Amino acid sequence: MRVGVLGGGQLGRMLALAGYPLGARFTFLDRSAGGPAAQVGDMIVGGFDEPARIAEVAEQVDVLTFDVENVPAAAVREAGAEHLCRPGLAALEAAQDRLAEKQCFESLAIPVPPYRTVDSREELDAAIEAVGLPAVLKRRRLGYDGRGQRFIHRPEEAGTALEELGGDDLVLEAFVPFDREVSMIGVRTPGGTTAFYPLSQNRHDQGILRFSRAPAHGAATAGVARDYVERLLRRLDYVGVLAVEFFEAGGELLANEMAPRVHNSGHWTIEGAVASQFENHVRAVLDLPLGLTDPTGVSAMANLIGTMPDTRELLRIPGLHLHDYGKSERPGRKLGHATLVARDEEAFAAPLERLLELAWPNHRNA
Ligand code: AMP
């Protein structure tokens, strides 16, 4: 069984690490020959917009999946590889465009923050009038980890934000004064069997995920989140892992975005669940029975971003699991993550304090 993965980053690497014990082997496509996945599988070097390279991967594999969502569907179709894709291209396309994504949520009665599309200055002014300020202007495509978005607090900031984001193909969203951010990760097999992880509670800083905890405290909304993700999995005839990020405000959930792939807020499942999101994605795309998604304790995961903390110091923390993706340092780049799992939060309070001190020194002010 060989799995082709479009994208050769850390998600691909963790898919392969979970897939090897199941007997799966991996071929990756990435522009960079030296990405994290190159350490654990065959690498074909090329762009996601090169049908010939996609076809080369497709020839070697039983199924094709993604470690990034921004693969142009047209290139996959031109490569004649559409039938191999799990999840399918419809899911990929729905997640690539913030407008299509919001319309998909709305058609399933999944609430979203008030929004308007923006393709000109006049439309931005009308959108501000409609959704109010503060608001967030976002590129419809190719934005992630806080890239491609600007917060607008006062009307005078609108012009600069519009210019910086290219002037069109945007959406303006009302700023949501959320109590917290949570995400639900679900998985579905080709036969329609579904499974869900406990709700994760997530903290972002400058648009980038810094920290997740699961199961989320007092997860009264977990059942609702699960129901929403179930609706999406069915509507999209989805195969594999799907992650949906929500804002929780006043006990209600508003969908922010979905990722048609394994997700950073589910990295804790590697050590903190019976079968990880990576293992279950591989199982689902290969049409194998799913593993249990039950948590083995309470988990906390911190991303290591920009500069790598002293790994010796990290490894001194009792019970810590380190994942170093082997990337060079760069501001805002995800270089690794570390996870703590314990039977209850009290048991990891002190190790967690030390982890945050090393991994996210200004976490108290963020
Ligand atoms: P996104 O790329 O849409 O996931 O946004 C990255 C992060 O920016 C989110 O996880 C939030 O922390 C913040 N953010 C994005 N949109 C909004 C919004 N409409 N209201 C409040 N915060 C937001």
Side-chain angles (χ1 to χ4, degrees):
M1 294 177 298
R2 187 166 276 272
V3 179
V5 185
L6 301 184
Q10 63 266 19
L11 301 181
R13 185 175 95 145
M14 290 185 271
L15 282 173
L17 292 174
Y20 274 102
L22 300 173
R25 298 294 176 263
F26 292 80
T27 301
F28 298 94
L29 175 70
D30 204 289
R31 240 184 232 299
S32 145
Q39 303 156 10
V40 295
D42 296 346
M43 183 65 82
I44 291 177
V45 178
F48 306 135
D49 53 352
E50 293 182 63
R53 297 284 81 73
I54 295 173
E56 198 179 326
V57 179
E59 264 164 37
Q60 300 182 12
V61 302
D62 301 294
V63 291
L64 260 186
T65 192
F66 308 92
D67 111 325
V68 288
E69 60 256 44
N70 289 318
V71 173
V76 180
R77 288 198 183 95
E78 206 179 318
E82 186 173 356
H83 64 291
L84 291 176
C85 290
R86 290 181 170 181
L89 294 182
L92 200 69
E93 285 177 306
Q96 283 174 347
D97 175 1
R98 287 191 191 269
L99 177 61
E101 184 175 59
K102 288 178 193 305
Q103 289 170 338
C104 177
F105 291 146
E106 288 177 305
S107 74
L108 291 166
I110 301 171
V112 297
Y115 71 94
R116 290 288 184 280
T117 54
V118 172
D119 289 297
S120 65
R121 179 62 210 240
E122 293 68 40
E123 285 183 7
L124 177 56
D125 291 341
I128 290 175
E129 193 67 37
V131 311
L133 290 181
V136 194
L137 189 61
K138 298 182 178 182
R139 280 208 186 103
R140 275 175 57 181
R141 293 162 229 274
L142 298 174
Y144 65 99
D145 281 352
R147 278 174 246 187
Q149 58 177 264
R150 296 287 180 279
F151 285 77
I152 301 177
H153 301 276
R154 292 185 306 276
E156 319 71 277
E157 294 166 5
T160 317
L162 185 69
E163 205 173 295
E164 285 175 356
L165 295 177
D168 64 0
D169 218 21
L170 307 168
V171 290
L172 184 79
E173 261 176 46
F175 175 82
V176 179
F178 53 77
D179 300 319
R180 61 179 183 173
E181 294 187 81
V182 295
S183 56
M184 174 56 68
I185 295 179
V187 57
R188 185 171 181 268
T189 66
T193 303
T194 55
F196 300 86
Y197 288 95
L199 197 67
S200 298
Q201 179 174 330
N202 308 317
R203 285 187 62 198
H204 294 77
D205 186 11
Q206 292 168 13
I208 305 182
L209 181 71
R210 293 303 306 225
F211 179 70
S212 291
R213 185 190 282 269
H217 290 147
T221 49
V224 179
R226 188 185 153 126
D227 175 43
Y228 290 162
V229 177
E230 177 108 48
R231 288 181 209 175
L232 287 161
L233 290 171
R234 292 199 190 291
R235 162 69 61 84
L236 298 167
D237 193 18
Y238 198 91
V239 177
V241 161
L242 174 72
V244 184
E245 294 184 89
F246 298 96
F247 301 125
E248 191 180 296
E252 303 288 324
L253 293 179
L254 297 174
N256 176 27
E257 60 180 358
M258 62 179 164
R261 53 167 170 77
V262 287
H263 192 254
N264 197 167
S265 67
H267 288 2
W268 64 269
T269 61
I270 296 176
E271 293 90 7
V274 177
S276 74
Q277 61 163 349
F278 300 98
E279 177 172 345
N280 266 332
H281 186 73
V282 174
R283 288 191 189 213
V285 302
L286 291 175
D287 200 6
L288 298 169
L290 295 179
L292 292 176
T293 50
D294 303 48
T296 56
V298 293
S299 297
M301 187 270 341
N303 271 339
L304 309 174
I305 296 175
T307 49
M308 198 66 177
D310 184 337
T311 49
R312 242 171 212 288
E313 285 303 312
L314 280 175
L315 291 168
R316 272 189 226 288
I317 299 175
L320 179 131
H321 301 278
L322 175 64
H323 297 256
D324 179 341
Y325 308 148
K327 293 174 164 179
S328 54
E329 297 186 341
R330 193 198 295 154
R333 197 175 204 197
K334 292 176 180 170
L335 305 174
H337 73 267
T339 303
L340 291 165
V341 187
R343 65 184 182 285
D344 56 40
E345 300 215 359
E346 223 166 76
F348 69 35
L352 178 57
E353 194 51 44
R354 179 70 181 137
L355 169 57
L356 289 176
E357 211 174 277
L358 291 166
W360 189 13
N362 68 344
H363 67 277
R364 286 185 205 289
N365 312 322

